[in-house]
């Protein structure tokens, strides 16, 4: 029998507010444990939550960016459960009246374009973090409540994906949007962008859904792909062997590349949701929604297609250059200065990103600004530098922060474009290789490359290649 998988994703994204969702504590990552806490986020009796307006704005911006309807009234609810990292004994979330619903996100995979439905986006607070002791502390567990109360949005997709690649494409597109919006840093390792995947299988042609397993907290795109791929095959094997898939929560073990059962899946009624009595329903007025809509930045997909249209660069280039807003801005600044869209793209995707990656930097930390590259590219255009020389000069600029002009002066690199000088070199090379000249003239065309090599060697790589080619042809054939 042939099976297909049905995949839905739940993404938890941490909003980039300075303070928590219901109190003024800092959300900064990496502080000493339990230093960013107060009576509210510690769940002390008698305290009251106060909703963070910025978090609401960020959640609405996200909803608008994926075409969700922003509901004029939404309700916070208590999700009751006990866990040591949850001091109140409940999490404040939204349940049957979420902030927004019914959105969509277009994804592109190797098999083409597809639209993935978004069921809802709601707001909630994060829990704290348990740290299990090691070595001498191996019998202890510790709790850090700095994260308790940090604002999250949960973005729930429709079960519209069929293969792991679609899930990865969806997550990447979603993360790009959040990062572009500036509402989330998208950092999967620090847990500010986390994904759970609901996976089930069914015989092809069957409309009813199979029983799903929920894969928890998968913290890289590669693991998402590996975990889903493994889980699909596991479920097929269970069914083929006559067994039944059970509804459960499974964890992905990335070292072994397998999913393992963690617990049977809770049902919503296990949480005894009820409206949070300490918070009034959240009322969002239309004027605020429109204000936020007008201020949305250009989103990744729109920018990609504009780059293709406006600059005539290939889709691949446009994809790389729009991977972050900062990189896209850098590129546009360089094109504005050089009026050379393709050359600028080649340089950024080649030399600039190569050195940035090699040094663990991002474009915002680049020691070379667009204006400095523009100066360098101008030297290539007016023949002072060959492309290869420019690459060397660029490495030096990158290392020292010097301008192209300074590097060229201090290193004495300059391309020989002077025809007289190059002719002199060519004549010397020809004179030194009479036999090869004879063979070339006798029809051995391939020897042209040999002569180019000799001339470049004699010129210490500094001769303008186009001029060398042109003059060498004349001399050899003459
Ligand atoms: Zn607090």
């Amino acid at each position: 029998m042939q099976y297909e998988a049905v995949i839905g994703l739940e993404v938890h994204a941490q909003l980039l507010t300075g303070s928590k969702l219901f109190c003024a504590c800092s959300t900064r990552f990496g502080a000493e444990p339990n230093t960013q806490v107060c009576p509210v986020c510690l769940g002390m009796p008698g305290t009251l939550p106060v909703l963070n307006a910025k978090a609401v704005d960020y959640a609405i911006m996200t909803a608008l960016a994926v075409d969700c309807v922003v509901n004029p009234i939404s309700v916070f609810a208590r999700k009751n459960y006990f866990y040591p990292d949850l001091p109140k004994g409940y999490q404040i979330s939204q349940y049957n009246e979420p902030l927004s619903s019914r959105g969509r996100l277009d994804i592109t995979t190797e098999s083409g374009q597809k639209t993935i439905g978004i069921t809802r986006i709601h707001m909630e607070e994060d829990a704290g973090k348990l740290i299990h002791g090691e070595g001498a502390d191996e019998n202890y567990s510790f709790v850090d409540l700095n994260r308790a109360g940090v604002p999250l949005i949960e973005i729930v997709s429709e079960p519209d994906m069929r293969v792991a690649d679609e899930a990865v494409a969806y997550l990447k597109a979603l993360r790009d949007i959040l990062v572009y919006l500036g509402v989330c840093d998208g950092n999967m390792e620090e847990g500010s962008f986390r994904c759970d995947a609901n996976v089930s299988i069914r015989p092809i042609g069957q409309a009813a859904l199979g029983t799903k397993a929920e894969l928890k907290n998968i913290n890289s795109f590669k693991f998402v792909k590996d975990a889903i791929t493994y889980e699909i095959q596991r479920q097929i094997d269970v069914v083929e062997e006559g067994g039944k898939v059970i509804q459960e929560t499974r964890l992905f073990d990335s070292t072994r590349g397998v999913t393992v059962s963690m617990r049977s899946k809770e049902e919503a009624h296990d949480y005894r949701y009820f409206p949070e009595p300490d918070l009034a329903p959240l009322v969002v007025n239309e004027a605020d929604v429109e204000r936020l809509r007008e201020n949305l930045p250009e989103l990744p997909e729109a920018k990609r297609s504009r780059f293709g249209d406006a600059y005539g660069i290939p889709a691949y280039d446009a994809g790389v250059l729009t991977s972050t807003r900062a990189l896209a801005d850098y590129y546009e600044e360089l094109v504005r200065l050089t009026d050379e869209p393709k050359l600028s793209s080649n340089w950024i995707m080649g030399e600039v990103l190569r050195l940035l990656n090699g040094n663990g930097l991002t474009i915002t930390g680049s020691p070379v600004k667009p204006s400095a590259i523009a100066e360098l590219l101008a030297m290539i255009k007016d023949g002072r530098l060959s492309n290869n020389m420019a690459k060397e000069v660029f490495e030096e600029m990158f290392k020292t922060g010097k301008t192209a002009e300074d590097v060229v002066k201090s290193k004495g690199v300059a391309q020989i474009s002077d025809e007289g000088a190059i002719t002199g070199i060519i004549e010397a090379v020809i004179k030194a290789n009479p036999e090869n000249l004879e063979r070339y003239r006798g029809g051995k065309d391939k020897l042209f490359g040999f002569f180019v090599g000799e001339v470049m060697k004699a010129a210490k790589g500094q001769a303008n290649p186009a001029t060398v080619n042109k003059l060498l042809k004349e001399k050899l054939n003459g």
Side-chain angles (χ1 to χ4, degrees), residues 97 123 149 155 162 310 324 336 396 421 441:
E97 293 178 75
M123 304 180 69
I155 303 155
R162 296 291 170 269
T324 67
R336 195 181 62 75
E396 194 65 20
R441 286 186 173 160

Side-chain angles (χ1 to χ4, degrees), residues 20 23-25 36-42 148:
K20 293 186 181 179
C23 63
C25 291
Q36 295 172 173
V37 290
C38 74
V40 175
C41 54
L42 289 176

Side-chain angles (χ1 to χ4, degrees), residues 425-446:
I425 297 170
I426 288 174
E427 281 170 351
V429 166
I430 289 178
K431 202 171 169 196
N433 294 281
E435 283 159 27
N436 278 337
L437 178 67
E438 196 114 324
R439 290 167 63 207
Y440 175 81
R441 286 186 173 160
K444 270 243 169 220
D445 290 348
K446 277 189 186 157

